[in-house]
Amino acid sequence: MTLQMTLPVPRADWTRAEIAELFDLPFTELLFRAAEVHRAHHAAGEVQLCTLLSIKTGGCPEDCGYCSQSANHETGLKADKLMAVDAVLASAAEAKAAGSQRFCMGAAWRNPKDRDMDAIVQMVEGVRGMGLETCMTLGMLAPRQADRLAAAGLDYYNHNIDTSPEHYGNVITTRTFADRLETLEHVREAGINVCCGGIVGMGETRGDRVGFVHALATLPRHPESVPVNALVPVRGTVLGDLLVDTPMAKIDDIEFVRTVAVARIAMPLSMVRLSAGRESMSEATQALCFMAGANSIFTGDKLLTTGNAGGGADAALFAKLGLRPMAGEEPMRVKQAHLEATE
Ligand code: SAM
Ligand code: DTB
Ligand code: SF4
């Protein structure tokens, strides 16, 4: 019997009621079920390490209410031009030496301009040539741009839906939820793996968190990577100011873990990434997230523009929890099962 024949096809027909029922489970029951799903499909003691680099920082025309890089926000961030290819490759070499498996490059663009694509392609080829997996997040993509990235060998494209379709317009007004889905389609059609998730703690309701996971789990194919970020409050952004000045409450730790657990159950084969927000998260909460099925993190002392826990803190946490960095690429069975799901 081949591996492919034994694999379950991930469900894409979840109802909102089913996702809501998962969220409503007693916490320990939810955690137990998520851990069972995790163990059935992944090496539960292994966590993938990814490193982020902002290759083009600040001055973004979009108005995402959480983002330090929006030109609509006075955050004190200095806007920069696109980095030189050599400097990006030097940074990728450092990430590899520090044990990272994937190098994720982010640009504060609404969409890449065609004149930027040559440099972008050189970055993908150079980082891949070092034996690192590549991921890019550059905003909206036209089909021909997605095809160019695919031809360059880009492994993943990150493009988040961020929140529920209903809450989206409260967070971002310069593009729509439908725009996001359109780019995700172009990425899929080009044959690039999809990295798509969002942010918890943006003043959304439990119903919005249900809608967020439901939207991801009912995509025609589940994203291969699902980043779950906790809002990092940045002074000068709409949402950062609301959080710091307290009309908006910080996401409750247990509710955050619930979101990770429901994502794990609804998308069993995907890598679920415990993403932004770890710097202010206790070790115990992070441990619960790993128990709930998170199996990927951003390591290093910086995300794109904000701080991160740092390699030393992560090594100490892994030692304490008995976790290991994932060796090499994520299991082939993940990709095979995704392929099978579309047959
Ligand atoms: N401009 C591109 C885009 O929006 O698709 C790529 C860069 S953008 C910074 C990538 C993702 O980072 C966003 O979609 C959002 O989910 C996450 N993010 C940005 N700022 C954040 C913050 N303050 N806290 C948590 N997540 C954040
Ligand atoms: C994602 O979902 N989280 C990462 C990555 N995709 C590109 C970005 C987090 C950014 C956090 C805020 C900052 O550092 O600017
Ligand atoms: Fe621009 Fe991306 Fe930040 Fe939105 S999240 S303002 S698109 S960099």
Side-chain angles (χ1 to χ4, degrees):
M1 201 185 278
T2 67
L3 175 63
Q4 209 162 328
M5 285 165 68
T6 63
L7 287 167
V9 175
R11 281 183 61 189
D13 62 350
W14 291 94
T15 64
R16 274 208 186 206
E18 286 174 317
I19 301 286
E21 272 171 32
L22 291 173
F23 265 101
D24 286 343
L25 283 171
F27 182 68
T28 49
E29 177 65 25
L30 173 61
L31 215 60
F32 180 75
R33 289 201 202 175
E36 273 187 330
V37 170
H38 188 199
R39 273 154 182 71
H41 302 290
H42 304 267
E46 293 186 0
V47 176
Q48 180 192 46
L49 304 182
C50 310
T51 301
L52 275 166
L53 176 68
S54 180
I55 58 170
K56 195 272 159 208
T57 303
C60 182
E62 303 270 22
D63 71 351
C64 311
Y66 47 78
C67 189
S68 62
Q69 308 200 68
S70 166
N72 294 272
H73 297 146
E74 295 276 339
T75 60
L77 186 77
K78 185 175 152 291
D80 271 331
K81 292 205 297 263
L82 182 63
M83 280 175 74
V85 176
D86 286 357
V88 172
L89 299 189
S91 181
E94 272 177 41
K96 182 163 167 80
S100 215
Q101 287 120 35
R102 187 178 298 177
F103 194 64
C104 308
M105 295 160 268
W109 285 326
R110 176 173 163 81
N111 51 265
K113 307 255 183 325
D114 283 339
R115 64 165 187 264
D116 299 315
M117 291 304 287
D118 286 345
I120 293 292
V121 162
Q122 287 171 35
M123 290 173 194
V124 173
E125 289 173 346
V127 174
R128 257 197 133 218
M130 293 175 192
L132 280 163
E133 282 191 325
T134 51
C135 180
M136 286 217 155
T137 178
L138 314 170
M140 294 187 258
L141 285 187
R144 67 176 186 288
Q145 294 176 321
D147 289 342
R148 252 202 105 181
L149 291 172
L154 183 70
D155 297 297
Y156 287 81
Y157 195 78
N158 167 249
H159 200 66
N160 288 344
I161 59 164
D162 275 339
T163 187
S164 69
E166 295 76 21
H167 193 50
Y168 199 81
N170 299 326
V171 177
I172 300 151
T173 69
T174 49
R175 56 168 192 261
T176 63
F177 197 82
D179 290 331
R180 275 330 239 191
L181 296 181
E182 200 178 304
T183 289
L184 290 170
E185 265 178 45
H186 298 156
V187 172
R188 270 275 174 245
E189 277 162 20
I192 302 169
N193 290 305
V194 169
C195 172
C196 182
I199 308 178
V200 181
M202 299 196 295
E204 76 280 353
T205 61
R206 159 70 72 84
D208 289 314
R209 288 186 283 279
V210 169
F212 161 60
V213 177
H214 178 256
L216 293 170
T218 54
L219 286 169
R221 270 169 72 183
H222 293 167
E224 282 77 9
S225 290
V226 177
V228 182
N229 299 274
L231 176 70
V232 177
V234 177
R235 261 287 183 211
T237 63
V238 175
L239 289 168
D241 286 350
L242 274 176
L243 192 68
V244 175
D245 299 336
T246 63
M248 190 173 84
K250 182 180 178 294
I251 187 72
D252 176 70
D253 285 345
I254 298 296
E255 185 67 11
F256 184 84
V257 179
R258 278 185 188 275
T259 309
V260 170
V262 176
R264 164 52 64 223
I265 295 171
M267 294 169 280
L269 303 173
S270 305
M271 303 293 289
V272 174
R273 182 170 309 129
L274 173 55
S275 302
R278 285 197 309 120
E279 204 183 24
S280 60
M281 210 176 267
S282 70
E283 288 187 341
T285 301
Q286 294 185 59
L288 284 173
C289 289
F290 294 129
M291 185 76 204
N295 59 349
S296 176
I297 58 168
F298 287 119
T299 189
D301 54 13
K302 204 169 170 202
L303 293 167
L304 289 173
T305 67
T306 65
N308 194 28
D314 289 341
L317 180 62
F318 276 36
K320 198 184 270 195
L321 301 179
L323 292 172
R324 295 181 306 279
M326 193 171 281
E329 212 178 314
E330 74 192 35
M332 269 308 289
R333 60 181 178 273
V334 173
K335 283 169 193 158
Q336 279 181 305
H338 279 291
L339 286 178
E340 188 195 34
T342 56
E343 276 168 5

